Amino acid sequence: MQPAHDATMSSEEEDERDWSDWGDDVDEDLTKSLFSSAILSSAKQAIEHDASEHGFDLRNFRAQKALTDYDTIRCVNFIRSEVAAGNSPLQALLHNSAAQRPWEKDEYMRPVLPDDPLLFYDFDEDVCPQQDSGAGPSAKEASVCITSTAMQSLQDENMALRNTLQEMSRLALPSELATEQPFQLAEGIDSDWLSKWQKTAGSFGVQAERNKLATTQADVSRGTDDATERINEAYFDSYGFFGIHREMISDKVRTEAYRDALKQNPALIKGASVLDVGCGTGILSMFAAEGGATKVIGVDGSTRIADVAERLVAANGLASTGGGPVTIVQGRLEQLPSLPVEQVDVIVSEWMGYALLFESMLDTVLYARDRWLKPGGAILPDLASLHMAAAGAGATGLTFWNKVYGLDYSLVQQELREDAHQTALLKDVSSQDLLSCSCLLRQLDIAHMDAADASFSTDFILEADPKSCCGPQECHALVLWFDMNFSKRFCAEQPVKLSTSPHGPQTHWCQTVLVLRKPILFGLGTAEARGKVAASLKGRFSMARSDQHRGIDMSVEYSAQFTDGSLGPSEVQIFSMTMSS
């Protein structure tokens, strides 16, 4: 949303104005952007301005992180302090956990900007409408207000979980995997009880009330744990549908890579004990048995599919109950007190999600490695790498909506594009849509990494590829994919590579597409176009766990480097992939 003409300042005025210009003589509603010197006509417009121009929506961030009013005040002052010091706070905002939030210091309770309207903005204005009535509510009304808010929070959580189940079912159907609908970020559970009580009761000095609110917050925390558990249950239950297993097994790139690694490396597999983490129908367990393993334990968290796997193994004459090597165990690996063996020689798992780390199953593999793998044992695959390239409009899949049977459908395209500016898309991207050479963002050594290594920030540069971008074209998106290697370290006889690159056969993982807010003219350009065409994109990419269980957040800070050597303005966008919608 663009601010009113008279509510913004020209670039020259912005350059001349600094913190000291903010005095008591200005309109009390005028609000300074968190990230620039732009002045907006209200706190609401400032929030919308920062969302559209800088990729940071304070309202969404507050909901996602379940911030209290005091947390929000600290967060606003933290951002303003960092920006005033010439730093970009977005990386710190993205890379934090509930236990480590950089704004949670008492020093950020002190306003950076006197009378900052963002510090007084009522984010809960629509939750308790009686607060707008001039007179303060009675204690009974205050109690009703808080109870209503709690009820609404539970209803929101209920809806998020219901949508989770729907999303899980959708993922189980092959025909739905490449739809236009992006993943949506679920609303956070509202734990902002202290500020609500302050507004309704008009005081925050009574210890008894504080104790009540602390108890309520503990209840909310337990509710969050319950929500996580229910998402876990929905996640495992979703793998009880045969459709998703057909989709995975019929992915020849995936299945044949695992088959070859397990059956063409007898020095590793023959006579070995193997743990198959997330065994599904048991196909990898059976490959290991065919490769000569003498003991194979397949573990799956889905009750239904573990039962199916057990029967399939028996039907193929490989079950331990019939003298074969394979035993299927139902349960979540982290909750199992023991396995049929003390330790194993090899761990195999197909744990990868969209953009490599979506679904967070890697944590279970690392737990299994630390708990059950013998010293010097093998883990398959052992190396993972995440890659990125710049791409044209075709990679977004949104061009479909330009014209539909000769009719103008650009309205639909625009709505989908706005959603895609903050949510990742899943697309089968053609190599012909790539405009740059690829860039390695991250490599993970599964044999030695820590779980924390899955959250990272890295610099990147994407240079125009002369083979695919001969002339200037608009860059509309950044495309992510991953490669998995069964390297010579463990598969000395037959190393295997599983790639989800657009340059190879498509897989059920597709590619992950991050749509840029503003297209960039990109290519090698001509002498006449110097200073107008970007020869490369330079920036910083970050990936971290989302507050929404099993989800991930990604941020991209980038700028165009033009053919004359100059740099364009820096842009920042934050994208999410979550299990809930």
Side-chain angles (χ1 to χ4, degrees):
M1 177 178 178
Q2 295 295 321
H5 178 71
D6 59 356
T8 58
M9 306 182 66
S10 70
S11 59
E12 292 181 358
E13 291 172 325
E14 289 178 359
D15 292 338
E16 294 173 359
R17 186 175 185 127
D18 58 23
W19 296 103
S20 63
D21 294 330
W22 194 277
D24 296 333
D25 56 336
V26 298
D27 188 323
E28 63 179 8
D29 291 332
L30 292 182
T31 306
K32 190 175 188 295
S33 163
L34 285 171
F35 301 97
S36 71
S37 54
I39 307 299
L40 289 304
S41 61
S42 67
K44 182 177 181 181
Q45 287 206 6
I47 293 170
E48 292 172 349
H49 169 84
D50 287 340
S52 64
E53 296 299 319
H54 303 285
F56 180 82
D57 190 319
L58 182 58
R59 290 168 301 192
N60 287 348
F61 186 80
R62 171 188 162 93
Q64 293 161 17
K65 303 295 183 182
L67 301 185
T68 66
D69 277 0
Y70 293 118
D71 290 334
T72 307
I73 289 171
R74 291 189 184 98
C75 187
V76 168
N77 289 325
F78 165 75
I79 295 172
R80 292 207 187 281
S81 296
E82 289 294 293
V83 172
N87 303 322
S88 172
L90 286 167
Q91 304 299 333
L93 292 170
L94 177 63
H95 288 283
N96 65 82
S97 64
Q100 295 179 325
R101 294 182 169 185
W103 59 85
E104 287 189 341
K105 296 180 182 178
D106 288 341
E107 65 188 80
Y108 295 125
M109 285 300 294
R110 184 183 302 110
V112 173
L113 197 62
D115 300 322
D116 188 345
L118 285 177
L119 303 183
F120 306 99
Y121 187 72
D122 188 358
F123 292 89
D124 302 312
E125 168 173 51
D126 297 327
V127 176
C128 298
Q130 64 263 42
Q131 292 176 1
D132 295 331
S133 64
S138 65
K140 181 177 180 181
E141 289 171 332
S143 174
V144 170
C145 176
I146 293 175
T147 303
S148 298
T149 304
M151 249 334 224
Q152 183 61 48
S153 175
L154 291 174
Q155 290 171 354
D156 291 345
E157 180 189 345
N158 235 350
M159 181 59 70
L161 291 167
R162 187 178 297 113
N163 288 340
T164 296
L165 290 171
Q166 293 174 351
E167 178 65 10
M168 294 291 187
S169 298
R170 186 186 71 79
L171 289 175
L173 300 174
S175 62
E176 298 296 328
L177 281 173
T179 62
E180 296 287 341
Q181 178 62 35
F183 289 89
Q184 299 292 332
L185 191 61
E187 290 295 327
I189 298 174
D190 186 0
S191 61
D192 196 6
W193 311 118
L194 186 57
S195 62
K196 289 180 175 60
W197 174 78
Q198 176 186 344
K199 293 175 182 176
T200 54
S203 169
F204 51 96
V206 183
Q207 189 61 41
E209 292 295 338
R210 283 185 173 178
N211 291 340
K212 288 181 184 177
L213 294 168
T215 301
T216 306
Q217 286 179 318
D219 291 339
V220 170
S221 178
R222 284 192 294 273
T224 304
D225 291 340
D226 290 342
T228 296
E229 180 61 22
R230 279 184 271 183
I231 289 174
N232 277 336
E233 289 177 0
Y235 169 73
F236 288 115
D237 287 347
S238 74
Y239 282 92
F241 295 96
F242 293 123
I244 194 169
H245 291 281
R246 174 174 177 170
E247 183 73 12
M248 293 187 293
I249 292 172
S250 62
D251 182 343
K252 295 182 67 174
V253 174
R254 164 200 180 269
T255 306
E256 292 181 3
Y258 279 88
R259 181 200 63 188
D260 293 347
L262 291 167
K263 296 180 68 173
Q264 296 182 22
N265 287 282
L268 173 68
I269 301 299
K270 191 171 183 179
S273 55
V274 178
L275 174 60
D276 180 1
V277 179
C279 67
T281 60
I283 191 168
L284 303 189
S285 294
M286 290 187 277
F287 284 162
E290 290 178 336
T294 55
K295 189 74 174 178
V296 182
I297 301 98
V299 180
D300 201 273
S302 168
T303 303
R304 182 187 183 201
I305 211 65
D307 177 67
V308 169
E310 191 170 30
R311 287 186 283 143
L312 284 172
V313 168
N316 284 277
L318 297 171
S320 57
T321 53
V326 182
T327 301
I328 301 298
V329 177
Q330 191 281 316
R332 301 183 197 176
L333 200 65
E334 295 90 339
Q335 298 175 359
L336 295 177
S338 63
L339 289 176
V341 294
E342 288 297 320
Q343 289 184 308
V344 297
D345 301 301
V346 179
I347 289 177
V348 63
S349 181
E350 194 275 82
W351 55 265
M352 300 81 72
Y354 304 122
L356 182 62
L357 296 173
F358 179 62
E359 291 185 351
S360 301
M361 190 180 162
L362 175 59
D363 288 358
T364 301
V365 176
L366 299 182
Y367 173 85
R369 178 199 67 187
D370 297 340
R371 172 67 177 82
W372 279 293
L373 187 63
K374 291 179 181 178
I379 190 160
L380 304 179
D382 59 314
L383 297 176
S385 56
L386 184 66
H387 305 262
M388 182 168 69
T396 69
L398 299 175
T399 53
F400 169 84
W401 297 102
N402 286 338
K403 288 284 185 180
V404 178
Y405 289 94
L407 301 173
D408 183 358
Y409 265 61
S410 58
L411 180 93
V412 176
Q413 183 188 71
Q414 184 58 34
E415 289 203 14
L416 290 172
R417 186 179 299 279
E418 289 176 2
D419 288 340
H421 290 160
Q422 58 187 356
T423 54
L425 301 177
L426 297 177
K427 297 292 173 187
D428 287 330
V429 177
S430 167
S431 61
Q432 296 178 350
D433 289 318
L434 300 183
L435 304 180
S436 76
C437 301
S438 64
C439 171
L440 174 65
L441 294 176
R442 185 71 162 177
Q443 187 167 48
L444 298 174
D445 183 345
I446 315 303
H448 299 293
M449 68 174 289
D450 294 324
D453 295 335
S455 294
F456 64 93
S457 292
T458 184
D459 294 328
F460 68 85
I461 180 166
L462 299 174
E463 298 180 334
D465 185 353
K467 296 179 181 179
S468 58
C469 191
C470 298
Q473 300 182 49
E474 284 192 336
C475 172
H476 284 258
L478 303 177
V479 177
L480 302 175
W481 68 88
F482 63 86
D483 293 339
M484 304 300 299
N485 279 280
F486 303 76
S487 76
K488 286 186 177 181
R489 172 172 50 180
F490 300 128
C491 295
E493 295 158 291
Q494 184 60 60
V496 178
K497 180 178 180 179
L498 189 170
S499 178
T500 66
S501 166
H503 294 288
Q506 281 297 334
T507 71
H508 79 283
W509 285 286
C510 311
Q511 283 80 37
T512 301
V513 179
L514 310 179
V515 179
L516 303 183
R517 188 178 298 107
K518 299 175 182 176
I520 297 171
L521 195 59
F522 189 79
L524 299 179
T526 61
E528 294 77 14
R530 295 174 78 80
K532 300 177 183 178
V533 178
S536 63
L537 294 180
K538 300 181 68 175
R540 190 165 183 79
F541 175 86
S542 299
M543 180 179 285
R545 298 173 186 273
S546 169
D547 279 358
Q548 303 296 328
H549 187 52
R550 295 191 179 274
I552 55 174
D553 290 337
M554 294 168 281
S555 74
V556 186
E557 190 169 1
Y558 60 94
S559 59
Q561 184 169 29
F562 297 108
T563 50
D564 64 357
S566 62
L567 283 175
S570 178
E571 299 283 346
V572 178
Q573 288 181 243
I574 297 176
F575 299 87
S576 296
M577 297 180 75
T578 66
M579 300 296 292
S580 302
S581 60

